Structures are given as structure tokens and as C-alpha cells.
């Protein structure tokens, strides 16, 4: 264990290593399909229940600088790969634990750092032999990869459904995620989530009413023509009227006549352009809206900026700055516009966009928090699946690869004449933290499970890892597959942060009084009970 008193009883817990170790301890229990959830209590009393390592780390207020380094590594892993954050933190904890043991065996931090770097390079070289390839977008194994990325977040049926949903969304946009929109709405079950072809527009801020949509003249549109106005649609007051008090009836009726004329002009212009659906980025004068509906034009006001831009691209319409500029040339088209109520939100779905094939994943969750979480997990799952196709390589999951690499390093280490041999062995033991933790979390004995897995590997079955029941299982047969990059980048980040921590520690020790003073540490941290972070209440 990190920071334990050594045999001679003189070594004290190292605050830096304790900080990282505690963080790893907290996160460790969430690893894998049987990982437990954590309840994180935010400063304002908000409670979040999640199984996602990156989310937990994001929410914990980490105060120790070393804890912060680990946090940065995990966050970087999450944003670059979208998965493997818990793995990163577990590896950091295990590598530091082994480093502490090596140090108490008398190895200098520099020897450990150099050995770790060499061991990591060797491990990554060896990893290639366990890689397999995905050849096409239609490879069934992509669905298994998507599924593995979300394992442990929900029950098995939801995981399965979710993996398929993510994959079909990706296939709908030919794996070009810039054409895919993720939206989540509270007030529904996860299984009600669907992938729609096209663009979904929120009517939340629009006063477009359901009655307008069901108006007979609007219902008859087959292939709606889309007009877009990037400005307010209303009646500008004539300049000379601004300061005049409209007391006199002649003045008032002159003004009303002007308003009426202007409205008629605006409506005529819209109708002339052929637009049957009019998206306006700002508001539309109420009387104009009503009149447009009468003329068979569906007005949609206050369209969100991002959606407005997407609609323009997908339908091929050119937004104009004033209704007077709206002509047939500036309009675009879609196959259909339909209304859909999702939870408490009204939306319009534009299907069959001619200019850009788009898809929208409509995700559902019970509460706003769950809906958000669902969207985040979906985004990660989609990232991971896309990365696999870009990169082509995947490996069996469940700790099969780290076990195989640990065995490779153990075999190689016997040929190393100097003390680096011990570092290689320590590095291998640290890699085994992944299968050991998966077994512990699934409730089986980690040592027995690991021994069982290694025996099967020795017999040539290198895809054996920890099954979801905690027992050795063939991961390829079980469909537990993950992109190589999830593990390789987790390992690279973990080694980078560990060597950084070990190096910093080394400098502190030798510069404090110019000699190696392994017994002198900054005790301020231990005085706070050694906790590297505080969770605010
Ligand atoms: P991370 O944040 O590192 O992605 P996870 O909680 O997602 O952490 O756990 C990932 C680990 O769980 C990986 O080692 C992966 O191979 C393993 N895993 C995922 N699904 C399964 C499964 N069905 N059976 C066994 N192991 C699994
Ligand atoms: Mg994961």
C-alpha cells in the first residue's frame, strides 16, 4: 500500500503519493461492468450519482497539486478518447504503489522513471500483436465496441440498445459526426430514445402553436419550401412618427394604415418567394404570423442560432437580412416537416434534407440531470466507435491485454541484467491492477481470477479476460471489444503523469537541504488527515 511505513520504521507516508493513491482508491471501485456508482455531493447541495470516473473527478474538489496532475491526465483522456478515464487513474495509482515499493527496496527514483519509460515502450510495442482490425462501417464488431464503451452505465438491455442506437446514428451520417446532433430531453425513459433522419428544431422559444401546424393549408404541404430570415420581422415605425404623440385620430389612422400596408407587403413577399415554412432567427410580428398561417405558410420564430445555421446548410436556403430580399432563389427545400412533442418540448423535424444528410439522436432521461448524463455518455460512446473506425484497431477488453502485456514484461525482465529487471516486474504488476480491480469489483478473488487467466494465456488463449461475472472468459466470444487507443492512451498518460510525480518528488528531496533526505516531508498535508481533496457540502 502507498505510503506504508517501511521495515526500518523510519519512512513516513509520502504526501504526494498518498494524494494520488487516495484518488485512485476512490475511483477504482467504479471500474468495469460491475463497478459501483458514486454519489457526489456538490457545494450547493446538488447530488450526482454516477459511475463515470471522469465525471467524479470533475466534481471532486481536488486540492493537492499531485491530485490535480492526475485529474488533468484523466480529463485529457476523456476529451481525447472519450473513454478509459478510470483505467488511467487506476494505472496511475498502481504504478505509484509499485514505485513506492521499489523505492523502499532501495531503488533510486531515476532508475524507476527510466525503467517505467522503457517498460511502457516495450508494452506498447507488444500490444500490436493483440490487435485486430475493423474493415468496414458495417462490421458487426463496431456495435460490440459501442456496447463495451457504455457497459456498466445501465442494465444489460439498455446497454445493448444504446450501442445499436449509437452505431445506427453514426451510420446514418457515414461516420461524419459533424452532421450528427445529440439532443436530450427529460421526462422519458432511456429506451424511448430514437435516431431520426434529419434536423430537429426546438420550438421552445418560438410561439409557433400546434394549431398553426394543424391548420389545413399547412397540412397539405408535400415538399415544403424553406425560407429563412436572419432578422426581426416586424413593422418599423416611420421616423417622423417616433416623437409624435398619436392623439389625433387622423394621425392614428394614418399610422394604422401604414402598418397594415407594410404587413400586406411583407406577407405578399413571403408568399411570392414560394416559402411554405419560414424560419426567422428573431421574432415575427404577431399579426404577420397569423396572416402567414392563413396563407399556408408556417412561421417559426426565434430559431436557435446553431439550428438556424444547420437548417440553412441542410436545406440549401440562403438566409436573408430582410423579408424584402426573400425570393425563390433564396429558398431551399426538404422532403417533409413534421411536428413532434418530446417530453414537454415541441419540436419540428425536417426530414430528407437535400444538401446535407443529417441525423439527430433524440435521447431521453427521467430528470434533467439524467438526460444530461445520457447525452454525455452517448457522445463518449459515439466518439469511441468513430475512433475505432478511423484507427481500425481494437483489442479484447476485460483486462485481457494488460494481463498479456504483464506476462510479456515478466518474461522479458529475466533477461535484464541490472535492477531495471525489478522495475519491469513492478510495471507488469501495476498493469495487472486492471484485471485485479475488475475481479474485485465483480466480487471474485482477484488473485485466483488472475491466476486462472494467466494459465489460459499460457495455453495460447490470449483473449481471456475478466468476464462480467468476475470469472475468466474469452472476451472476443463475449463481444467485449474496445479500441486499442483507449488502453494505449490511458497507459501513455498514466506513465507520463507518474514519471512527472516521481521526478518532482525527487527534486524536492534533493533540493531541500542539498542531500537525499527521504525522511523529510512536508507534513502540512498529513495534518489535514492526508486527504488530497475536499468534497464541499
Ligand atoms: P473507464 O473509465 O476506464 O472506461 P469503465 O468503468 O468503463 O472505466 O471500465 C472499463 C473496463 O471495463 C475496461 O477494462 C473494459 O474492458 C471493461 N469492460 C467493459 N465491459 C465489460 C464486460 N461486459 N465484461 C468485462 N469487462 C468489461
Ligand atoms: Mg469506459
Amino acid at each position: 500500500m502507498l505510503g506504508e511505513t517501511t521495515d526500518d520504521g523510519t519512512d513516513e507516508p509520502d504526501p504526494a503519493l498518498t494524494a494520488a493513491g487516495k484518488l485512485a482508491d476512490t475511483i477504482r471501485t467504479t471500474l468495469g461492468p460491475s463497478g459501483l456508482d458514486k454519489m457526489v455531493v456538490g457545494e450547493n447541495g446538488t447530488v450526482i450519482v454516477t459511475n463515470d470516473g471522469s465525471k467524479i473527478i470533475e466534481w471532486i474538489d481536488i486540492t493537492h497539486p499531485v491530485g490535480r496532475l492526475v485529474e488533468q491526465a484523466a480529463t485529457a483522456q476523456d476529451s481525447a478518447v472519450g473513454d478509459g478515464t478510470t483505467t488511467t487513474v487506476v494505472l496511475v495509482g498502481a504504478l505509484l504503489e509499485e514505485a513506492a515499493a521499489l523505492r523502499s527496496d532501495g531503488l533510486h527514483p531515476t532508475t524507476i522513471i527510466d525503467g517505467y519509460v522503457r517498460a511502457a515502450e516495450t508494452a506498447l510495442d507488444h500490444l500490436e500483436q493483440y490487435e485486430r482490425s475493423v474493415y468496414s462501417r458495417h462490421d458487426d464488431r463496431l456495435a460490440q465496441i459501442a456496447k463495451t464503451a457504455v457497459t456498466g452505465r445501465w442494465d444489460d438491455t439498455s446497454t445493448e440498445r444504446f450501442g445499436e442506437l449509437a452505431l445506427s446514428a453514426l451510420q446514418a451520417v457515414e461516420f461524419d459526426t459533424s452532421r450528427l446532433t445529440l439532443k436530450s430531453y427529460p421526462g422519458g425513459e432511456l429506451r424511448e430514445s430514437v435516431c431520426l433522419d434529419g434536423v430537429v428544431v426546438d420550438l421552445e422559444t418560438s410561439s409557433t402553436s400546434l394549431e398553426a401546424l394543424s391548420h389545413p393549408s399547412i397540412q397539405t404541404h408535400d415538399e415544403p419550401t424553406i425560407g429563412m430570415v436572419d432578422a426581426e420581422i416586424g413593422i418599423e415605425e416611420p421616423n417622423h412618427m417616433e416623437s409624435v404623440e398619436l392623439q389625433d385620430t387622423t394621425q392614428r389612422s394614418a399610422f394604422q394604415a401604414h402598418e397594415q400596408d407594410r404587413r400586406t407587403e411583407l406577407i405578399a413577399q413571403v408568399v411570392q418567394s414560394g416559402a411554405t415554412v419560414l424560419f426567422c432567427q428573431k421574432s415575427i410580428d404577431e399579426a404577420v404570423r397569423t396572416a402567414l398561417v392563413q396563407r399556408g405558410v408556417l412561421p417559426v420564430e426565434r430559431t436557435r442560432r446553431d439550428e438556424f445555421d444547420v437548417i440553412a446548410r441542410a436545406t440549401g436556403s440562403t438566409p436573408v437580412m430582410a423579408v424584402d430580399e426573400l425570393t425563390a432563389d433564396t429558398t431551399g427545400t426538404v422532403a417533409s416537416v413534421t411536428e413532434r412533442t418530446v417530453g414537454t418540448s415541441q419540436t419540428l423535424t425536417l426530414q430528407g434534407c437535400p444538401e446535407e444528410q443529417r441525423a439527430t439522436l433524440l435521447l431521453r432521461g427521467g430528470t434533467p440531470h439524467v438526460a444530461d448524463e445520457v447525452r454525455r455518455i452517448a457522445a463518449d460512446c459515439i466518439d469511441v466507435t468513430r475512433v475505432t473506425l478511423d484507427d481500425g484497431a481494437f483489442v479484447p477488453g476485460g483486462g485481457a491485454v494488460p494481463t498479456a502485456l504483464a506476462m510479456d514484461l515478466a518474461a522479458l525482465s529475466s533477461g535484464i541484467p541490472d535492477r531495471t529487471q525489478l522495475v519491469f516486474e513492478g510495471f507488469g504488476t501495476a498493469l495487472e491492477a486492471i484485471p485485479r480491480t475488475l475481479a474485485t469489483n465483480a466480487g471474485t478473488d482477484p488473485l485466483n481470477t488472475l491466476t486462472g487467466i494467466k494459465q489460459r494465456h499460457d495455453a495460447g488463449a490470449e483473449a481471456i479476460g475478466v468476464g462480467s461475472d468476475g470469472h475468466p472468459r474469452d472476451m472476443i466470444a463475449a463481444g467485449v471489444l474496445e479500441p486499442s487507443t483507449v488502453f494505449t492512451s490511458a497507459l501513455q498518460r498514466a506513465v507520463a503523469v507518474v514519471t512527472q510525480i516521481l521526478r518532482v518528488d525527487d527534486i524536492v528531496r534533493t533540493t531541500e537541504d542539498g542531500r537525499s533526505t527521504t525522511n523529510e516531508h512536508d507534513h502540512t498535508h498529513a495534518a489535514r488527515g492526508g486527504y488530497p481533496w475536499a468534497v464541499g457540502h
Side-chain angles (χ1 to χ4, degrees):
M1 195 44 225
L2 263 187
E4 255 178 8
T5 308
T6 52
D7 290 342
D8 61 6
T10 52
D11 208 358
E12 299 240 352
D14 183 318
L17 299 196
T18 312
K22 292 252 186 193
L23 186 56
D25 283 346
T26 301
I27 303 298
R28 191 186 330 250
T29 54
T30 69
L31 186 77
S34 322
L36 297 174
D37 287 350
K38 288 276 171 206
M39 185 183 273
V40 187
V41 184
E43 259 177 40
N44 51 4
T46 46
V47 174
I48 282 214
V49 177
T50 179
N51 170 289
D52 185 347
S54 63
K55 190 78 189 161
I56 299 166
I57 291 171
E58 191 186 304
W59 275 71
I60 324 179
D61 178 15
I62 299 168
T63 50
H64 195 286
V66 164
R68 282 204 175 273
L69 287 180
V70 184
E71 178 194 16
Q72 280 163 16
T75 314
Q77 171 78 11
D78 190 40
S79 51
V81 196
D83 198 14
T85 41
T86 315
T87 303
T88 308
V89 178
V90 168
L91 286 172
V92 169
L95 285 167
L96 286 174
E97 198 170 321
E98 291 307 313
L102 290 166
R103 246 157 58 172
S104 54
D105 282 348
L107 267 78
H108 193 270
T110 314
T111 314
I112 303 173
I113 293 168
D114 293 348
Y116 271 6
V117 171
R118 269 180 59 195
E121 281 167 5
T122 312
L124 292 173
D125 282 348
H126 274 246
L127 190 123
E128 279 175 27
Q129 68 195 74
Y130 306 111
E131 283 179 345
R132 284 141 220 255
S133 306
V134 220
Y135 300 108
S136 84
R137 289 172 184 163
H138 301 286
D139 199 316
D140 287 345
R141 292 171 305 184
L142 282 172
Q144 297 178 330
I145 288 160
K147 209 181 76 187
T148 306
V150 290
T151 299
R153 307 278 184 250
W154 299 292
D155 60 275
D156 289 352
T157 328
S158 305
T159 305
E160 189 103 1
R161 159 125 190 76
F162 209 77
E164 283 161 14
L165 202 60
L167 187 60
S168 57
L170 276 169
Q171 283 168 343
V173 293
E174 294 153 320
F175 282 74
D176 172 3
T177 44
S178 70
R179 292 192 271 131
L180 178 66
T181 312
L182 265 53
K183 281 171 166 283
S184 62
Y185 294 92
E189 301 264 338
L190 177 68
R191 61 185 155 76
E192 292 169 54
S193 305
V194 284
C195 178
L196 296 177
D197 149 47
V199 182
V200 175
V201 186
D202 266 315
L203 295 184
E204 210 91 304
T205 48
S206 174
S207 24
T208 306
S209 63
L210 275 179
E211 295 84 79
L213 278 158
S214 53
H215 195 279
S217 55
I218 285 169
Q219 283 293 304
T220 52
H221 296 321
D222 251 355
E223 288 192 354
T225 303
I226 312 292
M228 301 184 78
V229 179
D230 199 351
E232 194 176 323
I233 302 178
I235 316 296
E236 319 80 6
E237 290 183 358
N239 287 340
H240 67 273
M241 289 276 191
E242 269 168 25
S243 52
V244 182
E245 294 232 348
L246 299 174
Q247 283 161 340
D248 145 357
T249 28
T250 2
Q251 268 183 342
R252 196 174 300 162
S253 55
F255 179 68
Q256 282 169 349
H258 158 81
E259 273 193 330
Q260 202 42 54
D261 288 352
R262 185 62 190 133
R263 266 191 205 107
T264 314
E265 250 172 58
L266 290 176
I267 294 154
Q269 187 71 36
V270 174
V271 172
Q272 206 175 23
S273 75
T276 47
V277 182
L278 181 69
F279 287 101
C280 177
Q281 218 272 310
K282 303 233 164 61
S283 61
I284 307 176
D285 174 78
E286 198 186 333
V288 172
R289 254 178 11 232
T290 315
L292 284 174
V293 173
Q294 301 298 330
R295 305 289 297 269
V297 181
L298 176 66
V300 184
E301 59 169 4
R302 296 196 196 92
T303 310
R304 267 175 41 186
R305 170 55 65 191
D306 54 341
E307 291 178 352
F308 192 79
D309 296 343
V310 165
I311 297 167
R313 266 207 315 278
T315 63
S317 30
T318 314
V320 293
M321 293 310 293
V323 174
D324 307 296
E325 294 164 24
L326 199 67
T327 60
D329 288 348
T330 65
T331 60
T333 185
V334 283
S336 73
V337 173
T338 42
E339 186 275 336
R340 176 186 290 259
T341 308
V342 191
T344 53
S345 313
Q346 264 182 43
T347 65
L348 277 187
T349 308
L350 278 62
Q351 274 171 307
C353 303
E355 295 298 317
E356 192 177 67
Q357 171 67 34
R358 297 198 62 101
T360 305
L361 203 48
L362 276 191
L363 300 157
R364 309 300 307 277
T367 64
H369 158 62
V370 173
D372 271 357
E373 172 108 347
V374 168
R375 195 186 46 228
R376 228 168 30 76
I377 296 172
D380 282 353
C381 174
I382 284 167
D383 272 355
V384 168
T385 316
R386 192 185 44 86
V387 160
T388 318
L389 189 71
D390 288 351
D391 186 60
F394 68 91
V395 288
V401 166
T403 309
L405 295 175
M407 291 172 74
D408 291 346
L409 287 177
L412 283 171
S413 70
S414 55
I416 300 173
D418 56 26
R419 302 181 88 189
T420 308
Q421 180 182 4
L422 297 174
V423 186
F424 263 57
E425 282 168 11
F427 193 93
T429 311
L431 291 179
E432 288 170 359
I434 301 298
R436 271 189 279 126
T437 307
L438 288 172
T440 307
N441 289 350
T444 56
D445 180 71
L447 206 63
N448 281 347
T449 309
L450 190 59
T451 312
I453 294 176
K454 284 182 166 180
Q455 279 167 353
R456 304 277 297 273
H457 277 233
D458 264 337
E462 281 148 354
I464 304 291
V466 184
S468 52
D469 59 356
H471 293 288
R473 184 127 189 240
D474 186 314
M475 293 290 122
I476 301 283
V480 180
L481 311 175
E482 51 200 18
S484 287
T485 34
V486 171
F487 182 73
T488 52
S489 57
L491 185 62
Q492 281 164 332
R493 278 175 227 280
V495 171
V497 74
V498 163
T499 51
Q500 202 178 357
I501 293 169
L502 292 175
R503 208 169 273 138
V504 167
D505 201 41
D506 194 29
I507 294 165
V508 171
R509 282 154 194 277
T510 50
T511 52
E512 255 175 355
D513 59 2
R515 63 196 169 84
S516 185
T517 54
T518 40
N519 298 337
E520 285 177 28
H521 302 290
D522 172 8
H523 287 274
T524 50
H525 205 73
R528 279 193 275 132
Y531 279 92
W533 64 81
V535 178
H537 292 273

